Amino acid sequence: MPTIKDVALAAGCSTATVSRALANPEKVTEATRKRVASAIAKVGYSPNLAARNLRRSESRTIVVLLPDIANPFFSEIIAGLEDVAHREGYRVLLGDCEHDTGRAKAYFDLLPTNQADGIILLTAEIPLSLVTQQARGSQIPLVMACEYFDHLALPTVRIDNPLAAARAVEYLSSLGHRRIATITGPMQNPICIDRVKGYQSEMARQQLAVNPGWIVEGDFGFLSGYQQGQLLLALPPEARPSAIFCHSDEMAIGLMKAARDASVRVPEDLSVIGFDNIGLSEYCQPELTTVSQPRDEIGRCAMRLLLDVLRKKQVPHQQVLSTQLIVRASTAQAPKP
Amino acid sequence: MPTIKDVALAAGCSTATVSRALANPEKVTEATRKRVASAIAKVGYSPNLAARNLRRSESRTIVVLLPDIANPFFSEIIAGLEDVAHREGYRVLLGDCEHDTGRAKAYFDLLPTNQADGIILLTAEIPLSLVTQQARGSQIPLVMACEYFDHLALPTVRIDNPLAAARAVEYLSSLGHRRIATITGPMQNPICIDRVKGYQSEMARQQLAVNPGWIVEGDFGFLSGYQQGQLLLALPPEARPSAIFCHSDEMAIGLMKAARDASVRVPEDLSVIGFDNIGLSEYCQPELTTVSQPRDEIGRCAMRLLLDVLRKKQVPHQQVLSTQLIVRASTAQAPKP
DNA sequence: CTGAAAGCGCTTACAG
DNA sequence: CTGAAAGCGCTTACAG
């Protein structure tokens, strides 16, 4: 592999000049710039970034930490992230924490040794100490997306979860539903707590009572929607919900399967709302009413925010993207009592 | 950030000794080993891998190229890959080619400058020249999974696509179906050609005629299954298939939606088989009969294979993992004529 | 505008 | 078993 020395030899100049011609062309005469350019082409040179990074103390690599890469919800966010990164000359190192809080540390350790320049957190399932120490003390470039930490002023890209949940409940209420339940994601996630709060406050605003049994916890996956759905549908008739708001589309689809099994018709007997608007939500039966999140844009925003942090620009501490209730066929007027 | 010098100072030895204590503990006395260890703990040292990599001419980074990260099919493969890599002290750099053949080159360029040690290809949508030059000439460590190139003897992890397709057709035939169609993936993919071959040879073996209109091309996504499904279901009754084998579950689910729209009942009027066994296939309506691929294991195998290549071990040129036909509710006896 | 030289943090023959 | 020294390939003050 040819090095900068070979180029210098071929161009008849020093390695310093080659380096300058590449990094600061304006510091070099037109003529040398051209000689260097053709020398580079001739020897087929491409710079060794490991050496450059060592020298510059940067890596042009961004770590993206996520709870579980096999969860398709993240795929589109990552696609957005990676596209922005690529355009800006950065690379994305994927850190799958597999819901294991210990794994995150290994990735944070890449920062102090310049193996990564910054971190985008798509999960709050990491030791809080990593974030407080690093983000505050050593000013590690860190951006969160989707999730957030409560008492920390990290730059964050997110949606308004309480509002989105309230809108979903408001819509169900407008259809005449009074017994509205919710299947949540894991309640250690602040966003799930937020959605429950939005649910509760809107129920209160609509003067609807909340049966404590109507708030059940899932894990975002199909199976938990199915299982918790079975529980809700097994409630005695006077307590059985006529509408259920789920914190993910997968759980909503699992719930609809539980309804089929129990011969409960959606939407005639039961209205269902999901969250995320994954591709599938248009192809399930019935098509799913859901809260749409701009996943691609969340990824792009987060990466742009982090690059701004790296470039020492002022960045907003909160970037709130808007959601949209997409009404499809899984919701309908509440059944007559 | 403390460097190896700080450790040497604290341990009262040279940097060479510190380095050896870390890399080849057996070359160092018990006593110095201990002094070094406690010095490391004291100063809070962790080695700068950029410097190590520059020196060792390796990066411990594996590039994974895939056509489109937003496609959930790959998520689980990546999860498997990344788990093996992590255990072996390697990192995974994700290269999303976005179906754009130009992007791959940037990732291949990481190899000669030691920014990556090897490549796992999950796509054949890259310029063939990259592979032939690099794999043969410069012996770039390269492993393929899922896809493969026809005339190249690259180490490859894959399934037996013709066999899997033939099994699906055989099963449909055993249910009495005679008019069996197929919705393929993009036909520039060798695996799709293989599946069509398997379909054709099994049709022939069962002495079933193939109407040329029964082989239609999709792109693996929901929408193309829906659209091509509409076409197939619009064929005149005598040519209309009673069973359709799809090259992906998403297309099968799109097809089932087209059937609902056309008031064609699945499985009573139409049997549907998918491919991949994604999580969703158990939760759609009806539950989908499909060919299961061991995605996690494909990822693991591919990474292990690549690490073996890097360690100069002999590796098999083909690793064929087995598939399984999972029979669920989308297939049934052919309707009486 | 250009070059000689130092140095980023590590590893590894080469002596001893 | 240990150390002094060279070198991986680049970048960048410092002179000129």
Side-chain angles (χ1 to χ4, degrees):
Chain A
M1 199 59 201
T3 73
I4 198 170
K5 261 190 189 165
D6 302 309
V7 178
L9 212 66
C13 65
S14 73
T15 59
T17 299
V18 176
S19 177
R20 273 190 288 257
L22 250 36
N24 310 90
E26 74 282 1
K27 290 190 177 173
V28 150
T29 57
E30 173 83 30
T32 43
R33 201 156 50 228
K34 278 186 179 159
R35 264 187 304 132
V36 168
S38 64
I40 286 175
K42 187 175 154 206
V43 304
Y45 170 72
S46 70
N48 180 324
L49 298 199
R52 173 181 293 173
N53 293 342
L54 175 60
R55 187 51 229 243
R56 284 197 185 157
S57 294
E58 66 168 23
S59 64
R60 298 231 148 206
T61 298
I62 305 297
V63 172
V64 175
L65 289 183
L66 69 178
D68 176 12
I69 195 184
N71 179 339
F73 171 72
F74 293 107
S75 308
E76 213 173 314
I77 295 178
I78 296 172
L81 281 172
E82 123 87 44
D83 189 56
V84 172
H86 191 264
R87 284 171 202 283
E88 300 284 336
Y90 280 77
R91 276 159 294 153
V92 171
L93 192 69
L94 215 64
D96 187 348
C97 295
E98 297 187 330
H99 295 290
D100 167 358
T101 55
R103 279 218 170 178
K105 184 162 174 12
Y107 290 103
F108 271 80
D109 284 344
L110 299 176
L111 278 271
T113 52
N114 294 317
Q115 297 169 72
D117 294 346
I119 295 185
I120 292 179
L121 272 180
L122 299 180
T123 172
E125 290 182 58
I126 66 165
L128 197 61
S129 57
L130 286 177
V131 182
T132 48
Q133 276 176 23
Q134 310 243 10
R136 243 179 273 172
S138 11
Q139 288 289 37
I140 291 282
L142 188 58
V143 164
M144 286 201 88
C146 301
E147 289 290 347
Y148 67 94
F149 287 113
D150 239 338
H151 307 293
L152 262 47
L154 292 173
T156 301
V157 179
R158 53 188 201 75
I159 58 169
D160 189 333
N161 285 288
L163 181 66
R167 287 273 168 77
V169 172
E170 181 185 27
Y171 176 67
L172 291 170
S173 164
S174 78
L175 292 173
H177 292 280
R178 311 197 64 75
R179 299 191 308 279
I180 302 173
T182 185
I183 304 180
T184 76
M187 287 300 282
Q188 75 262 34
N189 293 332
I191 60 166
C192 294
I193 296 172
D194 280 353
R195 290 179 194 173
V196 169
K197 279 186 191 151
Y199 158 85
Q200 286 170 323
S201 69
E202 185 63 22
M203 289 295 274
R205 207 172 73 86
Q206 302 286 343
Q207 301 185 302
L208 300 176
V210 174
N211 180 325
W214 289 349
I215 304 179
V216 296
E217 183 174 353
D219 65 5
F220 289 132
F222 290 116
L223 183 60
S224 73
Y226 180 74
Q227 291 169 333
Q228 299 296 45
Q230 287 180 319
L231 283 180
L232 288 171
L233 296 176
L235 290 173
E238 68 281 6
R240 190 180 308 152
S242 68
I244 302 178
F245 163 59
C246 299
H247 285 192
S248 77
D249 288 344
E250 289 200 1
M251 291 195 297
I253 287 163
L255 164 62
M256 294 204 292
K257 179 173 175 176
R260 279 196 299 276
D261 287 0
S263 301
V264 171
R265 295 167 305 164
V266 176
E268 293 83 350
D269 306 325
L270 179 71
S271 283
V272 175
I273 294 189
F275 211 108
D276 295 344
N277 191 32
I278 61 177
L280 174 57
S281 56
E282 272 184 275
Y283 289 90
C284 55
Q285 160 69 346
E287 292 179 33
L288 188 63
T289 295
T290 189
V291 178
S292 166
Q293 290 203 56
R295 283 174 292 160
D296 183 78
E297 190 56 26
I298 289 172
R300 292 179 182 280
C301 270
M303 184 55 77
R304 282 194 292 254
L305 211 54
L306 183 57
L307 295 180
D308 283 349
V309 170
L310 290 175
R311 289 159 186 164
K312 314 285 183 203
K313 292 191 190 160
Q314 282 292 331
V315 299
H317 268 194
Q318 296 281 337
Q319 198 144 339
V320 179
L321 301 180
S322 60
T323 58
Q324 203 184 344
L325 183 68
I326 313 257
V327 176
R328 297 203 186 93
S330 67
T331 43
Q333 289 289 330
K336 300 282 176 302
Chain B
M1 199 59 200
T3 72
I4 198 171
K5 263 189 189 164
D6 302 308
V7 178
L9 211 66
C13 65
S14 73
T15 59
T17 299
V18 176
S19 178
R20 272 190 288 259
L22 250 35
N24 311 89
E26 74 282 2
K27 290 191 177 175
V28 150
T29 57
E30 173 84 28
T32 44
R33 199 155 54 227
K34 278 186 180 160
R35 265 186 304 131
V36 168
S38 64
I40 285 175
K42 187 174 155 206
V43 305
Y45 170 72
S46 70
N48 180 324
L49 297 200
R52 173 181 292 172
N53 293 342
L54 175 61
R55 188 52 230 244
R56 283 196 185 158
S57 294
E58 66 169 24
S59 64
R60 298 232 147 205
T61 297
I62 305 296
V63 172
V64 176
L65 289 184
L66 69 178
D68 176 12
I69 194 182
N71 179 340
F73 171 72
F74 294 106
S75 308
E76 213 174 314
I77 295 177
I78 296 172
L81 281 172
E82 124 87 43
D83 189 56
V84 172
H86 191 264
R87 283 171 204 284
E88 300 284 335
Y90 280 78
R91 277 160 292 153
V92 171
L93 193 68
L94 216 65
D96 187 348
C97 295
E98 298 188 329
H99 295 290
D100 167 0
T101 55
R103 279 218 170 177
K105 183 162 176 10
Y107 290 103
F108 271 80
D109 284 345
L110 299 176
L111 277 272
T113 51
N114 294 317
Q115 296 170 71
D117 294 346
I119 295 185
I120 293 180
L121 271 181
L122 299 180
T123 173
E125 291 182 58
I126 65 165
L128 196 62
S129 58
L130 286 176
V131 182
T132 48
Q133 276 176 23
Q134 311 242 9
R136 243 178 274 174
S138 13
Q139 288 290 38
I140 290 283
L142 187 59
V143 164
M144 285 200 87
C146 302
E147 289 290 348
Y148 66 94
F149 288 112
D150 238 339
H151 307 292
L152 262 47
L154 294 172
T156 301
V157 179
R158 53 189 201 76
I159 59 169
D160 189 333
N161 284 288
L163 181 66
R167 287 273 169 77
V169 171
E170 181 186 28
Y171 175 67
L172 291 170
S173 164
S174 78
L175 292 172
H177 293 279
R178 311 196 65 73
R179 298 191 309 278
I180 302 173
T182 185
I183 304 180
T184 76
M187 286 301 282
Q188 75 263 33
N189 293 332
I191 61 166
C192 295
I193 296 172
D194 280 354
R195 291 179 194 174
V196 169
K197 280 186 192 151
Y199 158 84
Q200 286 170 323
S201 69
E202 186 63 22
M203 289 294 275
R205 207 173 72 87
Q206 301 287 345
Q207 301 184 301
L208 299 176
V210 174
N211 180 324
W214 289 348
I215 304 180
V216 297
E217 184 174 353
D219 66 5
F220 289 132
F222 290 116
L223 182 60
S224 73
Y226 180 72
Q227 291 170 332
Q228 300 296 44
Q230 286 181 318
L231 282 182
L232 288 171
L233 296 176
L235 289 174
E238 68 280 6
R240 191 180 307 152
S242 69
I244 302 178
F245 163 57
C246 301
H247 284 192
S248 78
D249 287 345
E250 289 201 0
M251 292 196 296
I253 287 163
L255 164 62
M256 293 205 291
K257 178 172 175 177
R260 279 196 299 276
D261 288 0
S263 300
V264 171
R265 294 167 306 164
V266 176
E268 293 84 350
D269 306 324
L270 178 72
S271 283
V272 174
I273 294 189
F275 211 108
D276 295 345
N277 192 31
I278 62 177
L280 173 59
S281 56
E282 271 185 275
Y283 288 90
C284 55
Q285 161 69 344
E287 293 179 33
L288 188 64
T289 296
T290 189
V291 178
S292 166
Q293 291 203 56
R295 283 175 291 159
D296 183 78
E297 191 55 26
I298 289 173
R300 292 179 182 281
C301 270
M303 185 56 78
R304 282 193 293 256
L305 211 54
L306 183 57
L307 296 179
D308 283 348
V309 170
L310 290 175
R311 289 159 185 164
K312 315 285 181 202
K313 291 191 190 160
Q314 283 292 331
V315 299
H317 269 195
Q318 296 280 337
Q319 197 143 340
V320 179
L321 301 180
S322 60
T323 59
Q324 204 184 343
L325 183 69
I326 313 258
V327 176
R328 298 204 185 92
S330 67
T331 42
Q333 289 289 330
K336 300 283 176 300

